[in-house]
Amino acid sequence: MPPGPSTPPSHDASEPAAGLPLPVLLLMATACGLCAGANYFNQPLLHSIAVHLGVGEATAALTVTIAQVSYAAGLLLLVPLGDKLERRRLIVGLMVLAACGLFLSGFAGSFAALAAGTLMTGLFSVAAQVLVPMAATLAAPGRSGRAVGLVMSGLLVGILAARSVAGLLSGIGGWSLVYRVGGIAILIVAVALWFALPTLRTPNPPSYLQVLRSLGTLARRHPRLRSRALLGGLSFGSVSVLFSTMALMLAGPAHRLDDAQIGLVGLAGVAGALMANWAGRMADRGHEQWTTRASVALLLASWAALWIGGASLVWFIVGVLAIDLALQGVHISNQNVIYALAPEARSRLNAVYMTSYFAGAALGSALGSAAWQHGGWGATCAVGTAVALANGAALWHDARLAARSGVRPAAA
């Protein structure tokens, strides 16, 4: 799609930005929410997918792992292109391909077709992770944390709304309807972004092989990139233990909820969007360390509420709210720490971090599915708690690195 007369002005990625208008930031947040949410449509629908396609629940739950593994692959192979290619073209192209994956899932007549569509959507929906560092780059000086927080708020709302909308649309037109609607929505927003975003190029961009090689260089050079990537991966891994099993538990004999009701339960975590914005503001004030500590503690405590929630829907909702708040507090703090390490390589830093983030999610999903199959909800909560405890050890390691680099607990 060639630039026309209404094409926004071009920006050099090395130049300081004057800031993006709020409507453009909100459009970017919407795009992030749609892209990320597309990988969560299946979570409240696992039981219906299993029944309709004639597969076991454990097989249906594999779509959760497929989405996260393919997303991690896209983070590793495609997101670094944000430091090489013109970012507006890259973002729009990725979104169009993600929409094609949704249409493939929406018209799937077999589990193999659904798995292929899920893989394609996961791979190309990483457009969201090109948008996040772009928001930081174009933000006004001293406001990158707020810009990232706002865009990430949209991403979180998209994830939560995806579960709820998927459940509601399933009640109206079957489990496949949400995939078709989601594909249309992503195409509409992609066109809007084409006209709203400025062109953003990196001067003297490296080759693709140089970009990929530099990922390892960045990881070796920055210990806190490694420690924060580990924090993110373990945090999302613990939460993914819940994501991969909650629909099965809520549809079971203890609660007997249908798809629409399961989707509405997911709305309990919408307050996590507020946490994302608040965490971004705390980052701008230099309080990433305190925010991370509080969030890691809340993540661990949430599993106690979720365990009780096996018999009490009220406690389950409390646990979902707490775990979503905790995840966003850790995630936004992590991103603000890593973006400060090498501002000229934010897309690549984000690729390293988010690859670990979703690799942890894929591992958590696999562990959660195995725990559910062999020990039910009690085993699932035990696995989630164990991963949360490992996350506490990762926090201790990061705090040691921060102390060595002269970062005080209340200042980055």
Side-chain angles (χ1 to χ4, degrees), residues 232-252:
L234 289 171
S235 296
F236 202 12
S238 182
V239 175
S240 292
V241 172
L242 170 66
F243 285 173
S244 62
T245 55
M246 63 177 284
L248 302 177
M249 192 276 287
L250 292 174

Side-chain angles (χ1 to χ4, degrees), residues 71-72 75 129 331 335 338 349-359:
Y71 198 87
L75 289 166
Q129 299 306 328
H331 183 52
Q335 287 189 308
I338 67 167
L349 290 169
N350 200 45
V352 174
Y353 169 74
M354 293 302 297
T355 298
S356 174
Y357 191 69
F358 277 89

Side-chain angles (χ1 to χ4, degrees), residues 40 50 77 140 148 158 194 284 289 294 334 344 358 361 374 382:
Y40 294 84
L77 299 175
V148 170
W194 177 263
D284 284 338
Q289 293 297 104
N334 286 347
E344 75 284 356
F358 277 89
H374 292 96

